[in-house]
Amino acid sequence: MMLALLIGLPLLGGLLTWWLEGADRAVRWVALGTLALTLVLLAVLWGGQSTAFPPTGAWLAELDRAWIPRFGIRFHLGLDGLSLVLIALTLVLGLVGVVASWTEIRERVGFFHFHLLWTVAGVVGVFLALDLFLFFFLWEVMLVPMYFVIALWGHEDRGPAAVKFFIFTQGSGLLLLLGILALVFLHHDATGTWTFDYLALRDTTLDPGIAFWAMLGLFLAFAVKLPVVPVHTWLPDAHTQAPTAGSVLLAGILLKTGAYGLLRFAIPLFPEASLAFAPVALGLGVASILYGAVQAFAQDDVKRLVAYSSISHMGFVLVGLYAWNTWALQGVVMQMVAHGLSTGALFLVAGLLQERLHTRSMERMGGLWGSVPRLSAFTLLFVVASLGLPGLANFVGELLVLLGAFGAYPVFTVLAALGLVGSLLYTLILVQKALHGPPGPLRPGADLTVRETCTLAVLAAGLVWLGLAPQPVFDLAGPALASLQQGTGTGATLNLGAAP
């Protein structure tokens, strides 16, 4: 029942904030309290373990109830180390989103926090669902509120950006549904049983030709969300036009649902088809890394620069996923967490700059270090974290992905490593134009407030902690990742080289 509360609390909190519309201060504190309480509940679930995390990848907690028995649909939730890490990231960034909206959102505050909390609830549900129909339902719950966040509270071109976001996500959702239904019908033909249960469907024997097309449906759905070149075009516009909280949630957690879908569902459900598709996926991952870096270098808008850098960073995730060995998968998890913290922080910084300067153009900034030193110092830290400076979490993630992928796919790995050079160039451009040089025509006014400083300090502490002591994440996610590797069909593996 505690797993249901992880989803139910944000849903109820969202309804309460909507009901409190007009009492803006109360709304903000209710949203903050709801997410904090959910985070405490997650900590209780984790801390309630009498021993170390289950070494076999067993579920830390599980809830399984009948929902629509006629079609084999169940309300089946499960929490393992992988889910726990990603839900913790979701709730932390949800709190950051509420704080970021404290002064930015001034209209329909209750309605805004309703959408924010329902987005968080949907993401938490996606990380918990073990029934594919429930997963698809929560996938939609996650996306629809985000459309309204962009469309109602976004910036100058929010309308077209929201429509593009909606078209891409709903189109990919249709592919996801078709892939799920194909798998369910194939399972019924083989066993005579209707079920959407992940564990049952994972053992289905599939015709290779049909399995490939079903796998492709799931891959495309998750690739849009990751996002992967060439289905990435919704992301720069959505990130740029969303309010700060929307950008933080989009970059920090919604992109991770695409990677999670590939890791939890697409590859384990179709291991042989994924093996055949791996070179294509790796090629798309490398293309995303290089294309994102080049495009980020060409941007003048701070938020578009960070958005394109996200495409590049998530390309490393795709490469690690299809290398599918222990080091690469551990790197994937660390990269997801590190990217969530560093890119969420950079979008928060971009929002703070826009709030003070009323522009996102780096050409109109300059010399900020002299006028807002605390904000500039945090900006520099998050920028060097994003480029993968040793000692910070992003370095650990990208290094493990490259080390894991090199044994199986050396050519792809070498090409992917070129993205590290690209990230150095576009981050230095940001630092040079915004923080140094002669002062720009716009003056930023006051430096960070205590609330803003504390928020950025939490994200910075997370990046430093995971950069210097990443073992807790490895210990949490390791058993779940090992279980996923062992469960890929009849011993099939995507790793064509020696496992490190």
Side-chain angles (χ1 to χ4, degrees):
M1 190 53 69
M2 292 181 75
L3 294 184
L5 284 175
L6 288 177
I7 304 172
L9 280 175
L11 292 176
L12 293 174
L15 291 173
L16 182 57
T17 57
W18 193 6
W19 183 68
L20 290 171
E21 186 69 270
D24 293 355
R25 187 175 178 82
V27 164
R28 299 184 200 281
W29 281 108
V30 166
L32 207 60
T34 299
L35 292 173
L37 183 60
T38 311
L39 192 58
V40 170
L41 181 64
L42 183 69
V44 170
L45 267 172
W46 180 17
Q49 294 297 295
S50 57
T51 60
F53 216 80
T56 59
W59 302 107
L60 170 63
E62 192 173 2
L63 176 66
D64 190 8
R65 298 285 187 274
W67 182 10
I68 310 175
R70 181 175 181 81
F71 299 109
I73 298 173
R74 305 185 66 79
F75 189 82
H76 190 186
L77 305 175
L79 178 74
D80 61 4
L82 175 63
S83 301
L84 191 147
V85 169
L86 294 176
I87 292 173
L89 175 68
T90 300
L91 296 173
V92 169
L93 292 179
L95 287 166
V96 170
V98 173
V99 175
S101 310
W102 211 267
T103 55
E104 183 186 28
I105 303 300
R106 300 178 184 278
E107 297 179 357
R108 289 182 285 183
V109 176
F111 199 41
F112 171 82
H113 285 86
F114 163 77
H115 287 96
L116 189 149
L117 289 174
W118 275 54
T119 299
V120 171
V123 174
V124 171
V126 162
F127 291 145
L128 289 175
L130 292 179
D131 180 282
L132 291 188
F133 184 86
L134 178 64
F135 174 81
F136 176 76
F137 175 79
L138 292 166
W139 183 269
E140 294 299 310
V141 169
M142 167 186 76
L143 296 177
V144 174
M146 181 52 66
Y147 163 78
F148 286 105
V149 167
I150 299 171
L152 298 181
W153 292 276
H155 299 301
E156 61 278 2
D157 294 322
R158 58 184 179 274
V163 169
K164 185 184 286 187
F165 171 80
F166 188 80
I167 291 173
F168 270 82
T169 54
Q170 291 306 303
S172 64
L174 177 61
L175 292 174
L176 174 62
L177 179 61
L178 292 176
I180 291 172
L181 290 177
L183 182 58
V184 170
F185 277 98
L186 290 171
H187 180 83
H188 179 264
D189 289 344
T191 65
T193 303
W194 291 110
T195 183
F196 285 77
D197 188 79
Y198 164 66
L199 300 176
L201 294 174
R202 199 174 63 178
D203 297 330
T204 305
T205 301
L206 301 172
D207 176 81
I210 298 175
F212 181 84
W213 289 106
M215 178 280 300
L216 193 59
L218 266 65
F219 175 84
L220 288 173
F222 297 134
V224 169
K225 186 55 60 190
L226 194 58
V228 176
V229 172
V231 289
H232 67 285
T233 57
W234 64 272
L235 182 133
D237 294 336
H239 274 303
T240 306
Q241 296 304 320
T244 301
S247 298
V248 171
L249 295 185
L250 273 170
I253 57 178
L254 262 69
L255 304 191
K256 310 304 175 293
T257 59
Y260 177 81
L262 291 170
L263 177 57
R264 176 76 79 189
F265 297 106
I267 296 175
L269 287 172
F270 308 101
E272 289 83 6
S274 297
L275 171 63
F277 189 69
V280 177
L282 285 154
L284 292 173
V286 171
S288 299
I289 292 170
L290 300 179
Y291 176 83
V294 170
Q295 287 297 317
F297 182 75
Q299 302 304 312
D300 177 54
D301 187 312
V302 175
K303 292 185 79 172
R304 290 188 75 85
L305 185 153
V306 180
Y308 276 110
S309 75
S310 290
I311 297 172
S312 182
H313 292 309
M314 296 310 288
F316 283 99
V317 171
L318 187 61
V319 169
L321 282 171
Y322 280 84
W324 200 255
N325 58 49
T326 302
W327 282 24
L329 293 181
Q330 290 278 17
V332 164
V333 176
M334 180 58 75
Q335 177 71 354
M336 286 198 285
V337 175
H339 178 265
L341 295 175
S342 61
T343 306
L346 283 173
F347 275 118
L348 183 55
V349 166
L352 294 173
L353 288 174
Q354 185 172 7
E355 202 172 329
R356 285 163 169 76
L357 299 171
H358 306 290
T359 183
R360 300 187 300 272
S361 170
M362 289 185 290
E363 292 293 341
R364 305 194 67 194
M365 300 179 187
L368 292 179
W369 197 284
S371 52
V372 282
R374 289 200 298 274
L375 177 56
S376 301
F378 275 116
T379 303
L380 180 61
L381 174 64
F382 297 133
V383 163
V384 297
S386 181
L387 69 84
L389 187 74
L392 298 170
N394 303 62
F395 171 77
V396 179
E398 291 178 356
L399 179 65
L400 286 176
V401 166
L402 293 175
L403 287 175
F406 187 78
Y409 303 100
V411 175
F412 284 116
T413 307
V414 170
L415 291 174
L418 295 176
L420 300 176
V421 179
S423 66
L424 179 65
L425 295 176
Y426 64 71
T427 51
L428 287 179
I429 287 288
L430 192 157
V431 169
Q432 180 61 34
K433 286 187 174 180
L435 305 186
H436 300 299
L442 304 174
R443 307 311 309 154
D447 206 344
L448 295 175
T449 65
V450 174
R451 171 176 52 79
E452 294 163 346
T453 302
C454 292
T455 306
L456 292 175
V458 168
L459 297 173
L463 288 168
V464 174
W465 174 51
L466 293 177
L468 298 176
Q471 192 61 38
V473 172
F474 299 153
D475 291 341
L476 279 172
L481 296 176
S483 177
L484 287 170
Q485 286 181 276
Q486 294 165 4
T488 48
T490 54
T493 174
L494 304 184
N495 180 17
L496 302 181

